[in-house]
Amino acid sequence: MSRPSILPDEKVFLDFKSQCMATDNWLNKYDNNDMQVWVERTPASKGNNVPKVHKIKCKMVIRDVSAAAMYDVLHDGQYRKKWDPTMGESFDIARLSANADVGYYSWICPKTIKNRDVVTLRSWQVTDDEYIIVNFSVKHPKYPPTRDLVRAISILTGYYIKSTGPNSCLFIYLSQADPKGSLPKWLVNKASQVLAPRVMKCVHKAGQNYPEWKKHNSPDQKPWLYPEQNTLPMMDPAELSMQRADSLENVDESSKLDVADSEDSS
């Protein structure tokens, strides 16, 4: 009996949208100038099975960039090099279907901790006025963890963009990710709440500048909208498997941290 496909189905996209729009069981942590940050409330009944890394959601009302432009920004790997200051290396590895691929991304962390990388399966869906991108970590046979970087885990990360006008949109980022290593989970959770608004502002600015940049950089090339333009090699999704956080080695970074690991993990 063949195992179920690893590719996201319609239910995954519907569930992701539902999480993006939900307010029940979410705590508001930040609310300022058209931006909100929410953290999922962990059910008391789950006890020790509750994940130690929060699920975080950032919601931004954008009044000067179209939903289509923001969606293009998230997909355009060439443009990301221009606006993402933390990016180390990023590339698409292979196509899995007309609306899914697998890719590699590494990012530069503060000097006190090791840099991270991730291999993710990304899938996307476009309707008349909505754009959804979701990703989660996978094991790729040719891109195992290396000694130089800590392999992080995306349990579920993605974007929901809804058009609210010809030049405006609702932009939501939702993520549950584990940076692994030996970073205290309370530090990861606190840092994500502080960093999220900064990242959202950076993405917003990238959206403002994208149309002009794209005019001069392969303006007709958008393989995320036109699959026939995609030149990546095809790969059988069955060659990939889910990457679980507990199967990765925890790299000791305690000597590099100036914080005590004994603080409460809330």
Side-chain angles (χ1 to χ4, degrees), residues 139-206:
K139 292 180 184 177
H140 189 294
K142 294 183 179 177
Y143 295 90
T146 65
R147 295 179 65 86
D148 298 334
L149 298 163
V150 175
R151 178 61 49 91
I153 296 292
S154 168
I155 301 167
L156 176 69
T157 298
Y159 301 87
Y160 170 79
I161 312 170
K162 183 173 176 62
S163 176
T164 55
N167 210 37
S168 63
C169 62
L170 174 66
F171 185 95
I172 297 176
Y173 166 75
L174 185 148
S175 180
Q176 187 173 21
D178 186 344
K180 295 301 291 179
S182 59
L183 297 178
K185 293 298 184 280
W186 67 264
L187 178 63
V188 172
N189 292 331
K190 299 281 190 201
S192 63
Q193 294 171 35
V194 172
L195 293 174
R198 296 184 200 169
V199 174
M200 294 287 273
K201 289 172 185 173
C202 192
V203 176
H204 181 195
K205 186 175 181 181

Side-chain angles (χ1 to χ4, degrees), residues 64-80:
D64 57 356
V65 185
S66 69
M70 293 304 298
Y71 180 70
D72 289 347
V73 165
L74 296 175
H75 269 289
D76 199 322
Q78 288 301 113
Y79 186 57
R80 184 158 194 165

Side-chain angles (χ1 to χ4, degrees), residues 93 119 129 135 181 190 196 219 247 252 262:
I93 298 169
V119 174
D129 63 348
N135 79 54
K190 299 281 190 201
S247 69
D252 184 13
S262 58

Side-chain angles (χ1 to χ4, degrees), residues 178-248:
D178 186 344
K180 295 301 291 179
S182 59
L183 297 178
K185 293 298 184 280
W186 67 264
L187 178 63
V188 172
N189 292 331
K190 299 281 190 201
S192 63
Q193 294 171 35
V194 172
L195 293 174
R198 296 184 200 169
V199 174
M200 294 287 273
K201 289 172 185 173
C202 192
V203 176
H204 181 195
K205 186 175 181 181
Q208 293 171 326
N209 297 330
Y210 182 73
E212 183 61 29
W213 178 89
K214 190 61 176 170
K215 278 184 193 176
H216 308 286
N217 294 271
S218 307
D220 299 323
Q221 281 291 110
K222 294 185 178 182
W224 53 92
L225 294 178
Y226 313 112
E228 65 276 7
Q229 295 179 349
N230 200 320
T231 58
L232 286 172
M234 284 297 296
M235 180 179 183
D236 183 352
E239 293 181 55
L240 301 171
S241 58
M242 297 287 287
Q243 176 69 74
R244 307 291 183 187
D246 56 10
S247 69
L248 287 171

Side-chain angles (χ1 to χ4, degrees), residues 89-125:
E89 187 178 11
S90 179
F91 54 86
D92 298 328
I93 298 169
R95 280 182 291 168
L96 304 172
S97 70
N99 70 320
D101 60 20
V102 58
Y104 175 89
Y105 178 80
S106 68
W107 65 97
I108 301 162
C109 295
K111 288 182 180 178
T112 52
I113 58 176
K114 292 191 76 168
N115 293 339
R116 261 62 179 170
D117 71 353
V118 68
V119 174
T120 57
L121 187 159
R122 175 179 63 169
S123 187
W124 54 92
Q125 184 182 81

